[in-house]
Each structure stands twice: as structure tokens, then as C-alpha cells.
Amino acid sequence: MVIAPSVRGSVGVTVGKFNPPHLGHLHLIRSAAARVDHLYVLVADRPGETIAAGQRAAWLGIDSPGNVTILVTPDNIPAANEPWAERALDLLPQPPDVAFTSELWGPGWAEAMGAAHAGVDLERDTFPISATELRQDLRSHFDWLAPAARVDLVHRVVVAGAESTGKTTLAEALARHFHTTWVPEYGRTYWHGRAHLVDKAWHFDEFRHIASTHHQMADGLARHASNGLLMLDTDALVTNVWHHRYRGELDPGVAELARLHRPDLYLIAAPDFEWVKDGTRESRDQREEMHRLTLELVAGSGAAYEVVGGTHDDRMARAVAAIEAAVTYPVFT
């Protein structure tokens, strides 16, 4: 059934567990929101689910149009249309004009609320995926997740290390290997921006800016990550090593950012080849000390880590093995 754009003030409703929210769910919500003035999305709750309904609702809210309101039900969807229609009418501020679903029971539910029904992708041809498939094998189906959910569920792998240790080369190569996104080092871009200053002294607030901006970039790129993986060239912990390099001490604010954004795995690039000057590097004599401090901070972070060295092929082989061992998605409810 196709519902044309409704008259001013029209209200729509849709419902689901959205556990977890995926691209098919977003297609349903966006299609429905385009046909009514306001759409209510009811997210069914149930005790014991791995991902709380409030979190699922938050993810949907991030990726939904502005005329959508997300409401969490007090419990799971009742089995029959009539009690579920009563529940929906109790939750909604006004009766809906149209109920949108991708389910065979949708027309009966809509009728029980006194609403028209609009089916959206009933055959699941547009987005052939189900939340059940995602829950059973999240990594294999990660690309189907709603972008906001990817940000929180992706496994983050940070390539850390001192200057001129091959971090960037390894991070990008790993992203290419796993066909996913990677986060270039924002600090390098920032360095280029201040390269022509007469007074080149670094201030502590610059490191906090670099660390926070780098992680904002990471969240943006995580929305497009594939295979459940996001590669990062450095992070706040590495930025703190640079703070120590230029200011002689660690910064508690940067350290807190590192704690809040602790990755699933650190890959520490060993300084086992000749230092190479590339126009931005200036810490040849500090490389070994920065490597030692990186090791110390990573070991103290509580995150899993692996030191990788040797040729590029050696590093890749060891890094890929470490990632495969560290990154697991258990089946969740």
C-alpha cells in the first residue's frame, strides 16, 4: 500500500526492537518520516538484552530526520495486535494517522489503532538483512549496522610508536587489508599549519586540541567502518608522548582523553630501522626515549598490545594476527 504525503498535522508511527539498528531500520524510518509531518518510533524494551533499549533509541535518534521522535516502551512488544495497539495509543501523545511497518502483522496493528497502514520494503529487497543475523554474527554483517551504532560497536586499533617508525604506512596498509576506514594523524596536519611561526614553542592546550580533534575524526570515520574495525594512526596516548617531548612532562588532560578513548588493541611500531627525515620530523635523538615512554604508557593503560617490527611484510603479518586474535564479537541477545 502506498501512502501519499499526508495533510498538514499528520502523524505516523512505527515500532520495533531495533536490536541492533541497521540500514533497513533507517530505511523504514526515513521513508515513513518523508510521508508524514511527524513520526513516532517506538523502541521495545526487554530485560536482559545486551544492548539497552535506551542506547538503541539514541543511535536511531542520531541517524533519523528532524521530524522523528523516539520513544522507549516499558517492555517488549505484546504478541497480539490488540494489546500492542492499546500500548501504542497509551504512549503516543495523539492517535496516529498512518502506521508504517515492514511486517506482515502491520495491517492488523494499524487497524486496531484506527490508522492506515503503509508497508515499507516488505520483501526486504532493498536491505536484505535482519537484526537476528547481526546479533548472531556482528562482524560479518557489520556493514549493515546503522552508522551511529558503528561508532560505539567498532573495534579500534591504534598504531602507536615514536617518530619515523612506520605508523602511518602500517595504519593505512591495515585499513586496505581489512577494507575499512583509517584515521590519519591529525597532529601532522596541525604541525603544518603552525610551521611558519617565529615562536615555535608548543603550549599545553594545543596538545589537548590535537588529541580531542583526532578522536572526533575517529568517530566520524567510524560511521563508515567495515568488518567491525577502525584503524587509527596514533591517539591521545601518543599525543601525550609528544607533550612530554616538547614540555618535559605528561599532561593529565590528555591522559584522561586517552583513558576515555582506550582502544581494543595497540600495535606499537618498533624503531628498528633508520630514522628518515620527511620535512616534518625533528626528534631523531628522542626516538628511543619516546618509544620507551610509549611502551610504558600502553602497558599501563590496560589495553591489549603487540610490538611489531622488522620488514613491512613482517609487521603486517604480526599485526593482522594480533587483530584477528583480539577482535571478537560474541553472540548477544
Side-chain angles (χ1 to χ4, degrees), residues 182-306:
W182 72 289
V183 186
E185 182 183 1
Y186 172 67
R188 180 180 289 265
T189 299
Y190 188 88
W191 184 96
H192 280 292
R194 73 192 307 280
H196 304 298
L197 289 173
V198 174
D199 179 6
K200 296 187 183 298
W202 287 84
H203 303 277
F204 82 92
D205 59 306
E206 292 183 280
F207 293 93
R208 295 189 183 188
H209 164 75
I210 289 170
S212 62
T213 302
H214 187 77
H215 284 291
Q216 288 172 11
M217 288 172 56
D219 284 349
L221 285 161
R223 290 177 58 84
H224 307 282
S226 296
N227 298 311
L229 293 167
L230 174 69
M231 307 300 164
L232 294 88
D233 176 5
T234 79
D235 70 343
L237 183 148
V238 181
T239 302
N240 217 3
V241 173
W242 282 101
H243 187 281
H244 188 275
R245 154 73 175 92
Y246 285 111
R247 295 188 57 83
E249 61 183 0
L250 297 171
D251 177 61
V254 177
E256 177 63 10
L257 282 171
R259 186 189 69 79
L260 291 173
H261 296 280
R262 190 181 75 174
D264 298 274
L265 175 68
Y266 278 105
L267 298 170
I268 305 175
D272 58 359
F273 56 83
E274 188 66 26
W275 185 87
V276 178
K277 185 172 181 59
D278 68 351
T280 64
R281 295 170 180 159
E282 54 188 17
S283 302
R284 178 175 185 170
D285 295 339
Q286 290 80 23
R287 189 167 71 153
E288 290 294 335
E289 171 60 20
M290 293 174 73
H291 176 67
R292 182 202 63 77
L293 182 56
T294 300
L295 278 171
E296 178 184 318
L297 294 179
V298 168
S301 73
Y305 70 93
E306 183 83 14

Side-chain angles (χ1 to χ4, degrees), residues 19-20 22 25 124 127-135 141 144:
N19 183 28
H22 55 66
H25 293 142
R124 310 295 172 90
F127 293 98
I129 190 64
S130 71
T132 299
E133 291 174 294
L134 279 163
R135 290 196 301 274
H141 299 102
W144 292 101

